Amino acid sequence: MFTKSWWCFLILGWVIMIILACGGSLRYVERDPDLPDFHPRSIGVLPVDAGGYDEARGIVEELVSAALTNKDWFAAVLPAATLKARLQGDQVLQQAVNDYLAKLKTVNYSDPALSMKIGAALNMDAFLVVTVDSWSYAVENKEKVARAGLSMRLIDAQTGKTAWRAGHDVVKEYTFLKPELKDLARNVVETMIGAMPH
């Protein structure tokens, strides 16, 4: 006969297994010690850097924008789709965003002048830079796996400083039915946004 403490132990074990299966803790997380009280009121999602995973771009932009909006942490959220439409009608702003992202990607430099320009043009206190790190089905150690991984940087628009950055991925083994990468990405996004300062 099972005791009450044994049942508690069993339930606790199941909870831990579920958390680990869902991705658990972030792959890495860093916070700028100079910005401990950074609490933006408005945030924009810049166009996602999908790398070689072009099919992931729109999906990730939609998931990130929805997760930020659903949190109700910000007075205003500028979704990536809205920002992209705005960029098409504003060549100067589009050039500023392209230059900013190019510098960030090639030399890891968050240009404060461009950051301030983007923030002022969009009326945003902060913006989120998202990169797709992995988006694939593969065979690892003779097991079929689905993998979705992202990196995020929360930028203080006024200073160009990275207030917070993190990376996370979810890997799921499967036998017959491929898990939807969008579902894995949703888990990644919700975990990361949940850990983001606000």
Side-chain angles (χ1 to χ4, degrees):
M1 187 140 193
F2 296 123
T3 64
K4 186 175 181 181
S5 62
W6 190 89
W7 280 110
C8 291
F9 179 75
L10 181 65
I11 291 169
L12 179 63
W14 275 85
V15 168
I16 291 171
M17 285 173 48
I18 290 168
I19 290 171
L20 291 174
C22 290
S25 61
L26 300 178
R27 181 172 16 110
Y28 71 87
V29 62
E30 299 169 10
R31 183 135 189 204
D32 188 330
D34 295 333
L35 296 172
D37 297 319
F38 182 63
H39 304 289
R41 298 281 300 134
S42 54
I43 187 168
V45 182
L46 294 188
V48 167
D49 176 3
Y53 310 107
D54 289 335
E55 69 278 7
R57 182 177 287 109
I59 294 169
V60 171
E61 288 174 347
E62 179 184 310
L63 290 172
V64 171
S65 298
L68 289 170
T69 302
N70 292 340
K71 285 293 185 186
D72 273 339
W73 290 340
F74 307 100
V77 174
L78 182 64
T82 305
L83 191 147
K84 282 179 167 181
R86 174 103 181 258
L87 294 181
Q88 288 180 351
D90 187 337
Q91 295 302 312
V92 174
L93 179 57
Q94 184 176 43
Q95 190 61 52
V97 170
N98 289 343
D99 291 348
Y100 176 82
L101 291 174
K103 285 183 180 182
L104 193 63
K105 184 175 183 176
T106 57
V107 293
N108 198 29
Y109 177 62
S110 177
D111 188 313
L114 289 172
S115 174
M116 189 180 296
K117 184 175 184 177
I118 295 166
L122 298 173
N123 197 26
M124 293 287 125
D125 297 332
F127 46 87
L128 197 61
V129 177
V130 182
T131 303
V132 179
D133 297 328
S134 58
W135 189 271
S136 64
Y137 298 100
V139 176
E140 297 177 5
N141 300 321
K142 298 182 181 179
E143 298 291 340
K144 292 191 277 188
V145 298
R147 180 188 300 272
L150 303 173
S151 298
M152 294 184 187
R153 293 174 75 143
L154 178 64
I155 307 294
D156 175 0
Q158 284 298 308
T159 65
K161 288 186 176 181
T162 299
W164 172 87
R165 61 186 287 168
H168 185 53
D169 52 16
V170 171
V171 180
K172 186 170 183 180
E173 292 183 2
Y174 67 95
T175 304
F176 301 111
L177 295 176
K178 287 183 177 180
E180 288 290 334
L181 293 176
K182 181 176 182 176
D183 294 337
L184 271 64
R186 182 178 289 107
N187 183 295
V188 173
V189 167
E190 288 175 359
T191 300
M192 294 183 79
I193 297 297
M196 189 180 81
H198 56 279

